[in-house]
Amino acid sequence: MLKGLFSKSSSGCLGIYLRPDYVALAVFEGGQLVSNKSVSIPSSEQWLTSISQLVSETGAKKLPVSLAISPHFYQQLQVDKPNVPNDELASALPFAIKDLITESVFELAIDYYDVPPVPMMTEKVTVVYSQKSIIQKAVDVMAELDLPINNIATEELALTNLMTAEKETQMLIHQVQGDDVVVSIVRDNMLYFSRKIRGFQALGQQVEPLDTFLMDGLGLELQRSLDYVIGQLKIADVSKILLAVPGESGDLIASNLSETLDRKVDVFQFQQQGVDVNAMPAIGAGVSQ
């Protein structure tokens, strides 16, 4: 779990997903998702206007919010956990990463979350860093709309909240329209591993017949991730694979991948109807833990 600025969401009535090209909002009542909406925007300069519009449409004014921000606005890397007391760890992070990045640490908002322990490996943390100006913009927008912020999550951690991976290893294959495919490995409700698979932006636009070259390439990359679970993470093999991609061909893509990987791939299902795959990070940010 991220320890400060960026964290897994714990509670709240709103989840908001911030991207440079659209924003999505999810409304919860009594811990249940009751509404989800998204709107396209030309740039992050329209966050205030677009979120105000969504809040007005849903009647979700002055409710606490958990934010998820897209990877466009942050980077992350794993480092050995600094050998300092836990209450000093946050202040030690800039020194741990300053030689590994090109940005000035003084211009960054920096936080971390623990990497689940792996046998025979040094204890590590995943450091997340973003330009302070981006985080401040998000904070200012929420303040302007009188939406108190509970916490801020990375996209990967927001999606982890939607998994029910207790005592089993699950893989989530997720894509926002036009973006890279993101693969996450979750076990015991902890994010063990995530990676972007580039070159498959057209996946959500597939129709029958599927592009054989594209699907074979994706299958190969997914198999590499499955092999990594056993070979490097040293945890139990993936027992459930879930697919969440935009478009109307989810079942067709899942069936194709099931044949390629020789294991069942299921389309991610929500209990509620009418859930937009592109709003999943907003839902994950706002879902009760």
Side-chain angles (χ1 to χ4, degrees), residues 1-287:
M1 179 183 293
L2 288 160
K3 299 300 181 181
L5 177 64
F6 303 96
S7 64
K8 288 182 70 174
S9 53
S10 55
S11 64
C13 293
L14 289 181
I16 294 178
Y17 178 41
L18 298 175
R19 290 177 52 89
D21 53 352
Y22 77 85
V23 296
L25 179 143
V27 183
F28 292 82
E29 291 181 3
Q32 298 297 313
L33 176 67
V34 296
S35 177
N36 68 106
K37 288 178 173 287
S38 62
V39 60
S40 297
I41 55 176
S43 75
S44 61
E45 297 302 318
Q46 298 300 311
W47 281 352
L48 177 60
T49 302
S50 57
I51 295 172
S52 177
Q53 172 189 332
L54 293 176
V55 167
S56 178
E57 290 176 356
T58 57
K61 297 180 179 180
K62 298 185 179 182
L63 296 178
V65 60
S66 295
L67 298 177
I69 57 176
S70 83
H72 298 84
F73 300 123
Y74 64 85
Q75 297 185 63
Q76 50 189 351
L77 67 161
Q78 282 191 6
V79 299
D80 291 343
K81 189 173 184 177
N83 187 23
V84 298
N86 285 338
D87 59 356
E88 298 177 14
L89 187 53
S91 59
L93 292 178
F95 301 99
I97 69 169
K98 66 182 181 64
D99 294 330
L100 304 175
I101 62 176
T102 57
E103 300 91 335
S104 168
V105 294
F106 300 106
E107 299 175 355
L108 301 176
I110 302 173
D111 210 336
Y112 77 100
Y113 59 93
D114 293 318
V115 175
V118 176
M120 307 299 292
M121 288 186 64
T122 304
E123 191 174 9
K124 294 182 179 294
V125 294
T126 296
V127 180
V128 183
Y129 59 96
S130 174
Q131 291 293 323
K132 287 181 179 178
S133 58
I134 289 294
I135 302 302
Q136 190 60 56
K137 179 186 292 187
V139 171
D140 290 345
V141 166
M142 299 306 135
E144 180 74 16
L145 296 173
D146 201 12
L147 300 174
I149 297 176
N150 278 343
N151 44 57
I152 302 175
T154 65
E155 179 180 301
E156 295 89 346
L157 287 179
L159 292 171
T160 299
N161 291 341
L162 299 176
M163 308 290 281
T164 56
E166 292 187 14
K167 298 182 180 180
E168 69 172 345
T169 307
Q170 297 184 1
M171 170 186 281
L172 175 64
I173 308 163
H174 176 260
Q175 184 187 42
V176 171
Q177 186 69 53
D179 268 8
D180 296 321
V181 173
V182 177
V183 175
S184 299
I185 300 296
V186 179
R187 181 176 175 83
D188 295 328
N189 298 320
M190 294 186 293
L191 178 63
Y192 271 76
F193 165 73
S194 68
R195 64 176 288 227
K196 288 184 180 181
I197 304 180
R198 304 185 187 280
F200 298 91
Q201 291 87 348
L203 180 64
Q205 303 166 14
Q206 291 295 296
V207 294
E208 194 171 9
L210 298 177
D211 184 326
T212 302
F213 180 78
L214 183 142
M215 295 306 302
D216 287 349
L218 179 60
L220 178 62
E221 293 297 334
L222 293 175
Q223 186 60 58
R224 288 173 176 167
S225 294
L226 291 167
D227 294 341
Y228 183 81
V229 170
I230 298 296
Q232 300 297 322
L233 296 183
K234 310 294 185 183
I235 58 176
D237 195 8
V238 171
S239 58
K240 181 182 290 186
I241 303 177
L242 299 171
L243 174 73
V245 297
E248 303 297 325
S249 299
D251 289 328
L252 192 62
I253 294 171
S255 177
N256 180 283
L257 291 175
S258 294
E259 293 184 12
T260 300
L261 300 173
D262 195 25
R263 56 176 82 197
K264 187 171 176 55
V265 178
D266 293 310
V267 174
F268 192 101
Q269 299 290 340
F270 282 94
Q271 293 181 345
Q272 299 84 355
Q273 297 296 315
V275 173
D276 181 1
V277 169
N278 290 324
M280 281 181 64
I283 299 168
V287 71

